[in-house]
DNA sequence: GATGAATGAGCATTCATTCAT
DNA sequence: CATGAATGAATGCTCATTCAT
């Protein structure tokens, strides 16, 4: 009857839309189910509970991001180039899915601490990925030898996140991907810290 | 037992403690009232509703921050120096109040979009303050002439925010203020972007 | 506005009626609240949860029974007389409150095992009370010297319970208290077992 | 693995085990199906609905009881002897099947009134059987000429039931069949009521 | 006959806010 | 000013039953 894609994905996609359009607390399970075109109970055949939908949603999108990222990073040599790919991939992905951007930047943050901790677990993979790039760059002489990679990582993530959030709170009315270049340049100089 | 300070402040302080110790969603009005040593109904003599407590809390602390900031910025000449004061003041303030740090970095973000928009309104003052510094610095030749001050501002706020949040999520177990120097150096080089 | 009796009792009385008229599983909290003339939430100012209403209900009625029983037993000398008072008090109490009879004999038994265990705790007091009478009677020579008081107690309770349940399942259409005499006589002979 | 016995009996046996081990409300149809080694839907090829399983279960066991009872009663002359066979058969049957004892004494009672009425229908046969014995005994002079056979029947059933239930609630940790003798003696004297 | 994925009705409980005292 | 008892709207999840295969 419905689309041929498996219900699991059908429900995740519905959750993104329902949350983006109604807000986190107003996206009741029944709304997600209706959006997905399934019965309320069907949700629970694929997810343990409502929280599990959100965790799965996040992991799913995160997996997609990592996939895209590794696809595009292939062949890039320098840390600088790799950082550009990171920013571009991030901005592109959220720019291409308005609903997802709203969900990750605004709505999912309203979830309780427990859920946010689980989400952070999912982020760990990307964090270490970035830190690896930073260490490479430092050892290759691209970055300052006394660069604190942990702090640098926080700068990179904080900057990207703030940039996207500001864009979303301004109703996504300007072009986000075109900011990747300037942002990247700033971050690069930040890492190139020298006395 | 009841301190002489006006109930208004008594309630705000109680809210910070109640939220930090119980979490945003578990800090019911009745808990805040008990912590403040007043009856539930009394809250509504000083605040329009629960959301109003949080907004007031934020504005109150923000005002305190601006006050501190302007106190310390007096006599500073360069934009670089002013930025250092900004980071230091921010880190010091949150480092000195464990409860407040938890509330601003973790708990208050669970509030709904509407509240977060109002909180952002309160931030505008500081934002423009920072942007003014950036413009000064650009015109004084400290920063790159083609620096996008809006993006730079997002980098500065994003970096500071991510740094503090990471510190809080690590249970505040290392010294935050000592990170102000390295962070400032990175941000400065980021702004000093040149071709 | 409402009756002057404390809300606690008001709710218990409402629960008896609501359960008797709607059945255990159809007596939703909202129905009990409506019957009691209070808001749903008010229930939870006086009871921990729905189960707590039922436990309290049972203890309340049990307390009333014990009170009545001790009132009427005063001055009775023989165990036989005391047993008669027991049966009469039990039959009278349930005969006087149609709703209560339905609740104790039919509806409350549908509660889960946990609740039934708690109810049994409440019964312990009465059980030992009866066993004391049986021991007295045995020592006074009224009953067989080799009477197993535990079995006798089970006979007494089982017989009374079955009698009342049968009466309720027959829509209480005959007179229950008038059965106390014959039942008592049978039980007495049962206890008077001799070789 | 799948025994050759018809699925009908397979499912009833599974229901007894599932209910005894999980409790009435936790013995979902899916659990019974899994225990029986069939699909959920298969249940509905043999039973109208869940309630029908329970009624059938009860009737099945009741039929087995009557069969056993008539087997053993053959050749017994006096009402007293026949009553002994009744108590012994009842106690033996439940003593031999721990699961069945739990189900009949504790779990099945949580069913709703309607189901319990239907179960009572099934009991009618045994009830009248007992009443016949009582009338025989009265006419044969074994029992008091003014014995109320309806009340006596309630005493007999109530006592047996209470005895078994107490035994189950004490985790079946003492020997039930050995109580048949003493119980029978008490009941007999109860019926032998004389002025 | 057998399957098992899908259905969707139903309900205890919390808590921000009010208002009579 | 202050109180705190009372309010009542709002929602995630279970499970008996169906029916297309």
């Amino acid at each position: 009857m419905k689309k041929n894609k498996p219900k699991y994905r059908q429900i995740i996609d519905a959750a993104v839309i329902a949350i983006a359009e109604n807000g986190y607390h107003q996206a009741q399970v029944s709304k997600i189910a209706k959006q997905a075109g399934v019965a309320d109970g069907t949700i629970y055949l694929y997810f343990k509970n409502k929280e599990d939908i959100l965790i799965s949603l996040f992991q799913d999108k995160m997996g997609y991001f990592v996939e895209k990222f590794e696809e595009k990073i292939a062949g890039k040599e320098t840390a600088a180039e790799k950082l550009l790919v990171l920013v571009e991939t991030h901005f592109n992905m959220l720019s291409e899915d308005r609903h997802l951007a709203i969900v990750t930047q605004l709505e999912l943050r309203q979830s309780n601490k427990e859920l946010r901790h689980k989400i952070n677990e999912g982020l760990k993979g990307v964090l270490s990925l970035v830190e690896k790039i930073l260490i490479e760059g430092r050892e290759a002489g691209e970055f300052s030898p006394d660069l604190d990679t942990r702090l640098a990582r926080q700068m990179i993530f904080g900057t990207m996140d703030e940039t996207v959030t500001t864009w979303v709170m301004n109703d996504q009315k300007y072009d986000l991907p075109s900011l990747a270049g300037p942002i990247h340049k700033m971050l690069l100089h930040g890492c190139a810290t020298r006395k």
Side-chain angles (χ1 to χ4, degrees), chain A:
Chain A
M1 170 77 74
K2 276 283 154 186
K3 309 149 201 165
N4 219 352
K5 61 180 168 180
K7 289 223 162 46
Y8 175 81
R9 175 160 306 283
Q10 205 170 312
I11 292 167
I12 283 188
D13 290 350
V16 172
I17 296 172
I19 293 175
E21 293 187 344
N22 299 284
Y24 180 79
H25 285 115
Q26 279 309 301
Q28 297 91 340
V29 171
S30 61
K31 253 179 203 156
I32 296 174
K34 178 174 266 183
Q35 174 72 36
V38 301
D40 294 18
T42 305
I43 300 272
Y44 294 88
L45 295 176
Y46 296 90
F47 299 92
K48 217 167 84 253
N49 49 35
K50 188 180 179 183
E51 189 177 82
D52 190 34
I53 306 176
L54 304 174
I55 295 171
S56 303
L57 182 167
F58 190 80
Q59 289 177 333
D60 190 76
K61 300 303 179 183
M62 183 64 75
Y64 178 75
F65 171 80
V66 171
E67 196 183 316
K68 282 284 166 208
F69 177 65
E70 295 188 331
E71 216 174 288
K72 296 197 177 172
I73 211 176
K76 304 298 179 190
E77 289 292 327
T78 66
E81 283 175 315
K82 289 177 181 172
L83 273 186
L84 181 58
V85 168
L86 177 79
V87 181
E88 282 177 346
T89 307
H90 188 192
F91 284 11
N92 280 332
M93 179 170 169
L94 292 176
S95 182
E96 280 163 10
D97 190 340
R98 310 178 57 80
H99 288 141
L100 182 60
I102 293 172
V103 170
T104 61
Q105 302 308 118
L106 301 185
E107 302 301 343
L108 227 48
R109 319 220 165 177
Q110 295 178 52
S111 61
N112 58 50
K113 250 187 306 188
E114 196 191 357
L115 173 52
R116 290 210 326 278
H117 261 107
K118 285 182 183 163
I119 287 179
N120 271 330
E121 287 305 305
L123 268 172
K124 288 260 174 80
V126 182
L127 292 184
S128 65
L129 205 145
V130 170
E131 205 142 355
K132 216 167 58 186
I133 296 178
L134 289 170
I135 292 174
E136 280 175 30
R138 189 176 58 187
E139 291 178 353
E142 290 182 71
F143 301 146
S144 166
D146 59 357
L147 178 74
D148 184 326
T149 55
R150 194 182 37 124
L151 290 186
R153 188 199 71 204
Q154 288 168 23
M155 175 177 69
I156 293 167
F157 272 86
T159 301
M160 291 198 299
D161 192 58
E162 181 76 16
T163 304
V164 179
T165 298
T166 301
W167 169 73
V168 172
M169 290 197 95
N170 280 299
D171 298 323
Q172 316 185 357
K173 61 180 169 231
Y174 49 86
D175 185 58
L176 181 62
S178 68
L179 300 182
I183 291 281
H184 173 252
K185 197 157 66 169
M186 286 200 306
L187 292 176
L188 216 55
H189 281 79
C191 293
T193 310
R194 270 170 244 277
K195 271 142 291 187

